[in-house]
Amino acid sequence: MKEIVIDHHQDIKKSFRDAMAQLGAGVNIITTNGAMGRCGLTATAVVSITDTPPTMLVSINQNSASNAAFKAHNRMAVNILSAEQQEAAEYFGGMHPVSMEERFERFEFTEGPSDLPLLKGALANLEGRVTATYEVGTHTLFILELDYMAISDDQNAGLLYFNRQFRQIDK
C-alpha cells in the first residue's frame, strides 16, 4: 500500500483523485429547468443527508457550464440511473461532444410537478428546492430539500462508477 502524508505545501491532487477512484458511487443525472433553459450533468457526488425532512447534497464543479443555471433556478432533480442508462451518463458527462439540447433530445424525459426534466426508466426521480449552497474549493455544494419522489417498480440493476469505469450492480 502506498502511504502519503498530506502536506498542504505539496500538490496532492492526483493522489487524492486516485484514492477517491476507489470509492464506488451511484451514477445520477442532475437536471434543472427555468429562465436559463434546461440543463443537466452526470454526477456521482450525491449523498442523502436526512429523511426528516428528506434532504440531499449534490456537489457540482464551479467550472461546469451548468453551475450558474442550478444556482439561478434554485430547483433540481436527481435521476438515479439504472445499469441500462450508461449511455445517458456518458452523454450528460460530456463524453460525447453534443449540445445540451441534443442531450435532452437523445433520451426520453418527462416533466415532473415542478417542470424539471425527469429521465424515464431511472431507478428513482427526486425533485426539490435548493435550500443552501456552499462554495468549497472547486465545487458548489447544493443542499436539496425534496418535495417529490418517484421510485421505479422494476428495480433494475444499478449503475455505479468505480476505479474510473462504469460498473453494474445487480438488484
Side-chain angles (χ1 to χ4, degrees):
M1 178 173 283
K2 179 180 176 183
E3 292 186 31
I4 299 168
V5 176
I6 297 175
D7 175 353
H8 294 285
H9 299 289
Q10 66 181 348
D11 186 7
I12 61 158
K13 286 193 265 186
K14 182 184 180 319
S15 296
F16 180 73
R17 288 179 182 169
D18 290 345
M20 291 300 98
Q22 302 310 306
L23 179 62
V27 181
N28 310 274
I29 293 178
I30 313 301
T31 59
T32 192
N33 193 13
M36 296 179 72
R38 289 191 304 181
C39 67
L41 52 78
T42 299
T44 56
V46 175
V47 180
S48 70
I49 296 175
T50 182
D51 63 0
T52 310
T55 305
M56 303 179 76
L57 178 144
V58 177
S59 178
I60 298 175
N61 193 306
Q62 293 173 22
N63 291 328
S64 167
S66 301
N67 189 297
F70 285 110
K71 287 178 181 173
H73 297 165
N74 213 38
R75 292 196 59 76
M76 62 175 58
V78 176
N79 299 280
I80 302 173
L81 302 188
S82 73
E84 292 80 23
Q85 294 174 312
Q86 179 177 331
E87 185 180 23
E90 292 173 1
Y91 271 86
F92 278 86
M95 295 176 177
H96 305 280
V98 298
S99 71
M100 187 63 68
E101 203 49 47
E102 288 173 299
R103 293 176 190 182
F104 280 101
E105 289 171 3
R106 184 169 188 84
F107 302 97
E108 192 172 356
F109 285 85
T110 61
E111 286 189 353
S114 299
D115 297 325
L116 297 177
L118 303 180
L119 181 63
K120 286 190 121 184
L123 296 177
N125 308 103
L126 312 165
E127 281 190 28
R129 66 182 172 83
V130 176
T131 58
T133 59
Y134 301 95
E135 305 299 325
V136 179
T138 57
H139 283 64
T140 303
L141 305 181
F142 292 87
I143 306 300
L144 182 67
E145 190 172 312
L146 301 178
D147 49 35
Y148 174 79
M149 294 183 280
I151 303 167
S152 173
D153 292 329
D154 294 335
Q155 294 302 304
N156 295 320
L159 185 62
L160 296 181
Y161 198 70
F162 174 74
N163 204 16
R164 297 183 176 95
Q165 292 182 1
F166 290 105
R167 312 276 180 149
Q168 179 174 326
I169 185 166
D170 293 327
K171 50 185 171 175

